[in-house]
Amino acid sequence: MSFDLVLFGGTGDLAWRKLMPALFQAFRHGSLPEDGRIIGVARDDLSDDGYRELIQSRFEAVEGAKRPTPEEFKKFASMLYFLRMDLSKAEDYAKLADLLKTRDATTVVMYLATAPALFTQVVEQIAAAGLNGPQTRVVLEKPLGHDLASNRAINKAVCKVLDEHQVFRIDHYLGKPSVQNLFAMRFGNALFEPIWRREHIANIQITIAEDLGVEKRGAFYDQTGALRDMVQNHALQLVCAIGMEPPINAHADAIRDEKLKVLRALKPWTAESIGLHAIRGQYTSGTAYGERVPGYRDEPGVDPESRTETFVALRTEIANWRWAGVPLYIRTGKRLASRDARIEVNFRPTPHAIFRAPPSAVNKLVINLQPKDGLELHMLAQAQDNRQRNGNRRAGPQLAPVQLDLDFDKRFGAERVGAYERLLLDVIDGRLNLFVRSDEQEEAWRWVEPLIDSWASDGVPRPYAAGTWGPSASSAMIARDGFAWSEEQ
């Protein structure tokens, strides 16, 4: 199969940090079709060789095991080309059309790694140049808009010139091996599904914690915030994976139909629930890696009076027969105590205790997303029986916490495929299973929009010191239900 991958924003941060390394890994693994071209598009004045040299220099920042040898890069570089374009000029799209016609590839992928404000313009120009034929697939990076209205406007413009099956709205969390294994765990095994419901589960916690600050993205992040950057997309996609009903098959629309039902079942926000169950924070100066780090308002590119949230904690429920009454907690933030992304499914205690156990001991399933990748099943097992020695024959055996730990990296090793590598290959092959449909995306925006509106006029976020787990109000919120975050248990 022949393909052309046109990378709009081909010299940008996303292109060299994520996309080029992912494409190279696919090339190294032999899974990238050999008859392909990768065409970087940007305003830079570069030749094909100049672009190859630029990408090669950027690979020096890639972690060692994923860095190509000179021989490997020479082979990979033969696929790289560059076209100087001003995305506002129709004549430059005509040049792109002429370049693509020189091969007439089976598949043409247009990857928009640009500012979201350019999405509508680029897609309209692609169509005007006659590049929206049936062989074309367009990849849209997040965030798609900044609210429901802007998201709808982008989707409307895109759907005027492309069919839905040609549009790949990417959320790289769906490409993570651990998230794919969440689907496999639920729908490929008979072990958990019978107890995956309100009768057996006490609460579910989703944590996406970052120990870094905004780094060089201060200006972008200050216009976005944690709610738009992480909750509206990544966190809600995890909620869907946890809460959805089994699809009728593994086809893309069957999966996305069930995810949409979950989003529609999330309890809508009211003024009262926002006050009780929605916490936002902003980091102040503190300590990270043993060093003092600045507060958010002191970061480059950030407004010194900024009210943008860098932390969000939410309590919600999926209001349907399977999940009614089960609290679902979501938290995400920057400059937290550690880098840790996980889902914790906490099971209800036994209905009648006949053993002694530590008060804090629980049965729970932990799905580790990053930096560790795997599953942990926390259980109780009988410890040494001391009844004879202490004379207490009626107390019953003592139980102690134990866990079963499955580390996917150790189990599968070199077979692991990174998120962007998996998603890019799926686009080239036309597989939509791990991409977001327009109605899913709009429903997610609809759910978070009351929070956006409320916080726009609701003073400043709660401060928390860098290197901690966020505002104390987050712990108080979950404690009202009689539960605690994992590090507090």
Side-chain angles (χ1 to χ4, degrees):
M1 181 188 75
S2 62
F3 76 92
D4 283 337
L5 193 160
V6 182
L7 188 52
F8 291 87
T11 59
D13 186 64
L14 178 65
W16 69 261
R17 276 195 314 111
K18 298 291 186 181
L19 303 181
M20 282 298 179
L23 288 165
F24 170 71
Q25 290 303 315
F27 174 82
R28 172 184 273 176
H29 295 153
S31 50
L32 189 67
E34 293 183 4
D35 189 11
R37 290 189 300 184
I38 302 167
I39 304 169
V41 165
R43 300 183 70 168
D44 304 69
D45 190 9
L46 292 171
S47 64
D48 291 342
D49 286 338
Y51 186 55
R52 291 162 185 156
E53 290 174 5
L54 173 67
I55 297 303
Q56 185 174 25
S57 69
R58 298 298 192 187
F59 270 118
E60 294 175 3
V62 176
E63 61 183 274
K66 296 183 178 180
R67 197 176 301 159
T69 65
E71 294 76 17
E72 285 179 321
F73 186 80
K74 184 177 180 180
K75 294 177 182 178
F76 176 67
S78 66
M79 302 179 72
L80 300 182
Y81 298 84
F82 185 80
L83 180 65
R84 186 176 186 274
M85 282 184 65
D86 182 335
L87 298 185
S88 65
K89 294 183 177 180
E91 57 267 31
D92 284 0
Y93 290 87
K95 294 178 184 176
L96 175 61
D98 290 340
L99 177 60
L100 295 176
K101 287 175 184 175
T102 60
R103 266 181 20 113
D104 195 24
T106 308
T107 299
V108 177
V109 176
M110 308 279 193
Y111 198 118
L112 274 58
T114 66
L118 296 174
F119 286 175
T120 298
Q121 178 186 25
V122 173
V123 170
E124 289 174 347
Q125 291 280 17
I126 287 171
L131 295 174
N132 60 331
Q135 81 278 18
T136 297
R137 294 161 191 161
V138 173
V139 184
L140 301 177
E141 265 285 350
K142 76 169 186 76
L144 253 69
H146 60 273
D147 57 14
L148 179 59
S150 58
N151 177 256
R152 282 176 167 167
I154 292 172
N155 281 332
K156 184 177 180 181
V158 170
C159 290
K160 277 184 179 179
V161 298
L162 295 164
D163 292 332
E164 178 67 29
H165 71 268
Q166 295 177 275
V167 184
F168 291 71
R169 298 171 188 84
I170 197 167
D171 185 329
H172 75 269
Y173 257 64
L174 291 178
K176 286 182 175 291
S178 49
V179 177
Q180 294 177 58
N181 268 302
L182 174 56
F183 288 104
M185 181 197 73
R186 286 199 57 196
F187 306 131
N189 297 281
L191 183 62
F192 290 108
E193 196 59 27
I195 59 173
W196 206 257
R197 55 195 319 108
R198 62 186 302 273
E199 291 85 357
H200 302 282
I201 293 176
N203 69 84
I204 299 171
Q205 302 177 17
I206 298 174
T207 295
I208 308 175
E210 299 177 79
D211 54 3
L212 296 176
V214 294
E215 304 305 300
K216 298 178 181 179
R217 300 171 67 232
F220 163 78
Y221 194 89
D222 207 38
Q223 301 299 315
T224 306
L227 185 67
R228 290 183 175 97
D229 191 43
M230 297 299 289
V231 175
Q232 182 272 331
N233 38 70
H234 302 328
L236 288 187
Q237 285 297 315
L238 295 179
V239 169
C240 290
I242 295 165
M244 64 187 281
E245 295 296 320
I248 58 172
N249 54 44
H251 293 164
D253 278 333
I255 294 170
R256 299 191 293 184
D257 286 346
E258 298 302 334
K259 288 162 59 184
L260 180 62
K261 291 176 185 178
V262 173
L263 293 168
R264 288 175 172 169
L266 289 173
K267 277 196 170 182
W269 293 103
T270 64
E272 181 181 11
S273 64
I274 290 175
L276 287 172
H277 301 146
I279 309 299
R280 63 176 181 144
Q282 186 185 90
Y283 67 84
T284 60
S285 60
T287 303
Y289 303 109
E291 298 179 359
R292 294 294 295 176
V293 293
Y296 176 72
R297 294 184 179 186
D298 297 321
E299 299 277 17
V302 173
D303 182 351
E305 302 296 322
S306 175
R307 300 192 308 176
T308 299
E309 78 284 351
T310 62
F311 175 92
V312 173
L314 307 173
R315 180 201 187 278
T316 188
E317 293 180 22
I318 302 171
N320 61 19
W321 276 39
R322 180 187 287 262
W323 295 113
V326 177
L328 179 66
Y329 306 102
I330 301 169
R331 65 172 173 173
T332 184
K334 291 190 173 293
R335 281 289 185 222
L336 297 181
S338 68
R339 177 174 178 257
D340 185 19
R342 59 170 55 195
I343 302 166
E344 291 193 6
V345 180
N346 290 293
F347 294 94
R348 297 187 184 279
T350 54
H352 175 64
I354 61 173
F355 301 105
R356 291 178 296 143
S360 60
V362 294
N363 293 151
K364 65 180 178 181
L365 175 68
V366 180
I367 302 148
N368 292 304
L369 306 175
Q370 66 182 27
K372 188 178 177 181
D373 178 9
L375 300 175
E376 299 172 14
L377 184 60
H378 294 247
M379 307 168 61
L380 296 171
Q382 185 171 332
Q384 181 180 357
D385 192 347
N386 293 323
R387 289 176 297 161
Q388 296 287 346
R389 188 165 57 199
N390 61 28
N392 185 359
R393 295 176 176 273
R394 303 182 61 184
Q398 175 73 43
L399 300 184
V402 295
Q403 70 181 63
L404 303 175
D405 190 350
L406 173 59
D407 188 319
F408 289 139
D409 282 328
K410 291 180 180 178
R411 169 59 183 85
F412 298 109
E415 301 172 39
R416 311 250 70 195
V417 175
Y420 272 107
E421 181 182 350
R422 164 56 56 212
L423 294 172
L424 285 164
L425 291 172
D426 280 359
V427 176
I428 293 170
D429 288 341
R431 292 191 295 266
L432 283 157
N433 297 47
L434 299 177
F435 295 85
V436 182
R437 204 168 58 192
S438 61
D439 50 2
E440 277 184 83
Q441 203 169 60
E442 290 185 14
E443 197 63 46
W445 276 114
R446 182 179 291 109
W447 187 73
V448 302
E449 192 158 58
L451 296 171
I452 294 173
D453 294 341
S454 175
W455 290 350
S457 58
D458 185 29
V460 297
R462 300 170 188 266
Y464 65 95
T468 67
W469 280 105
S472 59
S474 168
S475 298
M477 176 191 72
I478 192 171
R480 283 195 292 269
D481 292 334
F483 304 121
W485 296 110
S486 58
E487 74 276 0
E488 299 169 341
Q489 293 173 0

